[in-house]
Amino acid sequence: MKILDLEFKPYIDRSEILLQVRKISESINRDYKDKDPLFLSILNGSFIFAADLMREINIPSQISFIKLSSYSQVASTGKVKKLIGLNEIVFNRNLIIIEDIIDSGLTLQHVRAALEDLGSASVEIATLFLKPESFHKGFDIKYVGFSIPNNFIVGYGLDYEGYGRNLPDVYINK
Ligand code: IMP
Ligand code: MG
């Protein structure tokens, strides 16, 4: 399958993804019972993961959406823009950041720092995908769906140049 100039092959199908999403939600339901967590979904990439995850969360909780992007084409630009859309009071809240994929971890490092500055009680991260070969930021990622190689992937919310977010399954460029 081709998106713009890149060739992609089927990689992980939706049923496998949903199994991992369910595992993550079970852990969160257990770990955050009575903690009234506020989920913060990082747009755009995590919108589908967030929607599937939240339908499996059965404890009192809230969700909000924030935006912050450092990505240009297939390589991180190293530049981080500011965090927008945070209207909830995060002071003293137990926060769970929902991310689609962590590559260098730069995006997350910035978001975590901003949220800690606002006096949150705790900040943990739930990511569907992690690229361990490029992540060297030294903070813990509590909930990970899949550890994957450094190849570029699309589908299930993840895009290449804005395309491919609608694909129900995940495809890989190699
Ligand atoms: P980081 O700041 O280097 O960790 O980059 C994280 C962001 O880059 C993610 O939120 C995605 O938007 C994007 N990204 C990283 N790897 C991929 C990929 O393989 N496919 C699609 N987007 C990616
Ligand atoms: Mg993203």
Side-chain angles (χ1 to χ4, degrees), residues 84-138:
I84 52 176
L86 186 62
N87 301 315
E88 280 64 27
I89 293 164
V90 301
F91 182 77
N92 253 345
R93 295 295 305 268
N94 293 302
L95 308 177
I96 303 172
I97 299 172
I98 305 179
E99 181 59 304
D100 52 351
I101 184 163
I102 299 172
D103 185 352
S104 69
L106 193 69
T107 309
L108 251 300
Q109 191 176 42
H110 185 81
V111 174
R112 273 179 95 249
L115 295 172
E116 279 166 1
D117 283 350
L118 293 171
S120 58
S122 66
V123 183
E124 298 290 357
I125 298 154
T127 188
L128 187 56
F129 299 102
L130 173 67
K131 292 179 174 174
E133 290 160 34
S134 73
F135 177 71
H136 300 289
K137 287 285 184 278

Side-chain angles (χ1 to χ4, degrees), residues 42-152:
I42 303 185
L43 295 174
N44 296 323
S46 72
F47 76 114
I48 291 182
F49 173 41
D52 281 343
L53 182 72
M54 290 312 283
R55 277 179 284 205
E56 303 284 341
I57 295 295
N58 57 22
I59 56 172
S61 58
Q62 298 174 324
I63 182 167
S64 190
F65 298 85
I66 56 180
K67 200 159 184 172
L68 181 147
S69 168
S70 70
Y71 235 69
S72 162
Q73 296 200 4
V74 293
S76 187
T77 57
K79 282 186 227 128
V80 166
K81 295 175 194 162
K82 64 183 271 233
L83 201 153
I84 52 176
L86 186 62
N87 301 315
E88 280 64 27
I89 293 164
V90 301
F91 182 77
N92 253 345
R93 295 295 305 268
N94 293 302
L95 308 177
I96 303 172
I97 299 172
I98 305 179
E99 181 59 304
D100 52 351
I101 184 163
I102 299 172
D103 185 352
S104 69
L106 193 69
T107 309
L108 251 300
Q109 191 176 42
H110 185 81
V111 174
R112 273 179 95 249
L115 295 172
E116 279 166 1
D117 283 350
L118 293 171
S120 58
S122 66
V123 183
E124 298 290 357
I125 298 154
T127 188
L128 187 56
F129 299 102
L130 173 67
K131 292 179 174 174
E133 290 160 34
S134 73
F135 177 71
H136 300 289
K137 287 285 184 278
F139 54 84
D140 213 56
I141 316 282
K142 193 158 188 185
Y143 309 102
V144 177
F146 301 87
S147 287
I148 63 166
N150 263 352
N151 302 61
F152 199 79

